[in-house]
Amino acid sequence: QLQLAESGGGSAQPGGSLRLSCAVNGYTLDGYHVGWFRQVPGKEREGISCISSKDGSAHYDDSVKGRFTISMDNAKKASDLQMNGLKPEDTGVYYCAVNLWPLGPPLACSSQEYGYWGQGTQVTVSS
């Protein structure tokens, strides 16, 4: 199966920045979508941002627009999530995910659209 690995999590103060990376082993993401999700205790996994490898189009949750930027490298083997202006409510476990079927579905950041998941990386924002 396709395997994903997140890195770059850690602790930051409000207003600080972190950069998360998602690396793919053994495959390229050509034709696939990559999504970044956040989960906190007691709540369902929430879509933060997603990007299409076909044309580079991206979606963002309203809560992170203007603060977070998603990207994909030219080799289509990694995705980054640059997080600026961090807020305490950004705290959670962040997951990278890839949709199950390439070349067809519209770009969406719903967890129901994704079938491959990394193990997650903790992000903690506090003063």
Side-chain angles (χ1 to χ4, degrees):
Q1 292 183 340
L2 185 149
Q3 294 181 310
L4 306 172
E6 303 96 337
S7 62
S11 299
Q13 294 184 335
S17 298
L18 289 171
R19 188 177 183 90
L20 307 183
S21 294
C22 173
V24 182
N25 288 336
Y27 298 86
T28 70
L29 298 171
D30 195 13
Y32 290 86
H33 305 154
V34 178
W36 284 94
F37 299 80
R38 180 180 63 230
Q39 188 164 29
V40 298
K43 295 185 178 181
E44 66 181 6
R45 202 165 295 182
E46 178 184 7
I48 300 301
S49 183
C50 54
I51 187 169
S52 170
S53 66
K54 291 182 288 185
D55 58 11
S57 61
H59 296 332
Y60 296 91
D61 185 79
D62 287 342
S63 66
V64 305
K65 285 182 178 178
R67 299 189 298 119
F68 291 8
T69 303
I70 190 171
S71 62
M72 186 178 294
D73 68 3
N74 290 334
K76 300 182 179 179
K77 295 204 69 175
S79 175
D80 288 352
L81 184 70
Q82 178 67 46
M83 304 186 295
N84 298 327
L86 285 165
K87 302 177 180 180
E89 52 263 43
D90 296 323
T91 295
V93 179
Y94 282 72
Y95 296 88
C96 174
V98 174
N99 66 328
L100 190 61
W101 310 112
L103 304 175
L107 180 64
C109 298
S110 170
S111 62
Q112 298 178 12
E113 304 292 332
Y114 294 82
Y116 300 103
W117 296 85
Q119 296 299 312
T121 184
Q122 177 71 42
V123 171
T124 302
V125 184
S126 63
S127 58

